[in-house]
Amino acid sequence: MHLEAVLLDMGGVLLDMRASNGVPPGRFDFRGRQALLGALDGSEIGSDDLERLVFAPWRREYRERYRRGREASWTPHLDRLRAAIDERRSDLELLEIWFAPFGESLRPVAGAPEAVEELAARGLRLGLVSNVPLPGALYRRVLERFGMAKSIEVFEFSYDSGHRKPSPYMLRSALEVLATSIDHAVMVGDRRDSDVVAGRTAGTATVWIRSDRDRGPEPDWAIDSIAQLPALLERSA
């Protein structure tokens, strides 16, 4: 295999999402909502209003993401909030306030920054292909904080793309930007039911980082950590 490009999932591969689907959980959700209410100081909005106007209707749509094959949009719910209080800030600005406590808590998976740096140093072109429920810019800033974003040439986030794995759309889009053939690329992820399926459907080789998401087709290779990826790809070249 003549390898030119590596497509990487994010949660569980590059970032430890703290058993989260990418949405602030528990106390981080609470702290984010308190920060959002503080930023909306002077309005008549309270925590119950945030839940009614924004979070409850978004969750209802979010539960439909698998059936629809795309992420639930925050825009209509934030529009409802903006209309209620004459708020002018954008979706990204409002969501960033809520996401910030969670984003600040995120850390890389052990060995991820070093693996990404080593792969890039070998001349491999790197792309990120990730299902996320919020604008990709929020997660990209976390990757930037740990120095990983600089080695990644293309970012495909499902919220921005309008497609989500296991659809192969984001993989093919990333490879088009990287000007790389599917025959010279590998998809690396921790979910056989989305990452391995998407890679197989797109036509790339696949690497599964072992996790409890083990239902789905067999990958071409399986490893225990991204730290093992550079050595695996070197042996397989």
Side-chain angles (χ1 to χ4, degrees):
M1 178 183 181
H2 173 62
L3 185 63
E4 296 178 358
V6 180
L7 302 180
L8 299 160
D9 184 32
M10 183 181 65
V13 176
L14 300 182
L15 292 179
D16 180 356
M17 302 302 286
R18 309 173 67 96
S20 167
N21 54 6
V23 176
R27 71 182 187 276
F28 296 108
D29 178 25
F30 175 79
R31 288 168 53 192
R33 293 193 196 201
Q34 292 302 112
L36 187 54
L37 288 171
L40 300 174
D41 186 35
S43 74
E44 299 298 319
I45 290 292
S47 58
D48 290 344
D49 298 307
L50 277 183
E51 175 66 13
R52 175 177 56 84
L53 293 170
V54 179
F55 293 104
W58 176 82
R59 283 197 305 273
R60 287 194 292 271
E61 291 190 14
Y62 181 66
R63 287 192 287 266
E64 297 292 313
R65 66 195 184 281
Y66 292 108
R67 183 179 64 81
R68 295 178 178 178
R70 57 179 173 80
E71 305 295 344
S73 174
W74 288 90
T75 298
H77 316 304
L78 293 173
D79 280 347
R80 197 178 300 116
L81 174 66
R82 281 185 284 256
I85 59 174
D86 194 28
E87 170 62 46
R88 302 295 180 89
R89 276 170 285 200
S90 68
D91 287 6
L92 182 60
E93 289 170 315
L94 293 170
L95 291 170
E96 183 176 19
I97 296 168
W98 172 57
F99 181 82
F102 178 54
E104 290 164 6
S105 78
L106 296 178
R107 297 292 181 270
V109 169
E114 296 81 3
V116 167
E117 185 175 356
E118 182 175 347
L119 293 172
R122 291 183 189 175
L124 293 171
R125 305 190 70 182
L126 306 183
L128 183 141
V129 181
S130 182
N131 288 345
V132 291
L134 293 159
L138 300 177
Y139 307 95
R140 182 167 178 170
R141 289 167 190 167
V142 179
L143 295 169
E144 288 169 349
R145 192 166 81 240
F146 296 107
M148 289 187 278
K150 68 179 185 296
S151 299
I152 299 172
E153 295 183 53
V154 58
F155 295 81
E156 287 283 341
F157 290 105
S158 61
Y159 187 86
D160 308 318
S161 165
H163 300 266
R164 67 189 318 273
K165 297 174 292 184
S167 164
Y169 179 91
M170 292 193 293
L171 282 69
R172 290 171 176 162
S173 178
L175 291 175
E176 184 175 351
V177 173
L178 296 173
T180 302
S181 164
I182 56 173
D183 298 327
H184 300 149
V186 61
M187 175 68 211
V188 182
D190 66 330
R191 301 187 176 202
R192 283 169 57 172
D193 59 353
S194 60
D195 299 312
V196 174
V197 171
R200 280 179 169 263
T201 306
T204 70
T206 57
V207 176
W208 176 51
I209 297 179
R210 294 184 180 94
S211 73
D212 59 1
R213 297 296 294 266
D214 57 359
R215 298 186 65 177
E218 288 290 333
D220 293 288
W221 300 281
I223 55 179
D224 293 316
S225 165
I226 191 173
Q228 299 171 345
L229 183 63
L232 169 71
L233 296 182
E234 186 172 26
R235 291 194 306 270
S236 305

